Amino acid sequence: MTLHSYPGVGHAFARINGDHYDEASATLADARTLAFLCGALK
C-alpha cells in the first residue's frame, strides 16, 4: 500500500469551494485515486 501526504494543506483540501481547497493538491490526489482504481479494477 502506498500512502500519500499533502503537506501544508488542511482537511478536506479537495472539496471545491471549501475553506481549505487546494487546487494543485486536489488535482494530484484525484489523479492518484483514478490511477489506483483503474489498476485495481482491471
Side-chain angles (χ1 to χ4, degrees), residues 33-42:
T33 301
L34 183 58
F36 168 77
L37 291 174
C38 286
L41 298 176
K42 281 187 173 182

Side-chain angles (χ1 to χ4, degrees), residues 1-7 13 28-29 31-33 36:
M1 177 191 291
T2 301
L3 176 67
H4 298 283
S5 69
Y6 300 86
F13 67 87
L28 180 56
R32 287 173 168 167
T33 301
F36 168 77

Side-chain angles (χ1 to χ4, degrees), residues 4 7-9 11-12 15-17 19 22 27 37:
H4 298 283
V9 297
H11 179 74
R15 185 178 54 197
I16 297 172
N17 296 322
D19 291 338
D22 183 276
T27 300
L37 291 174

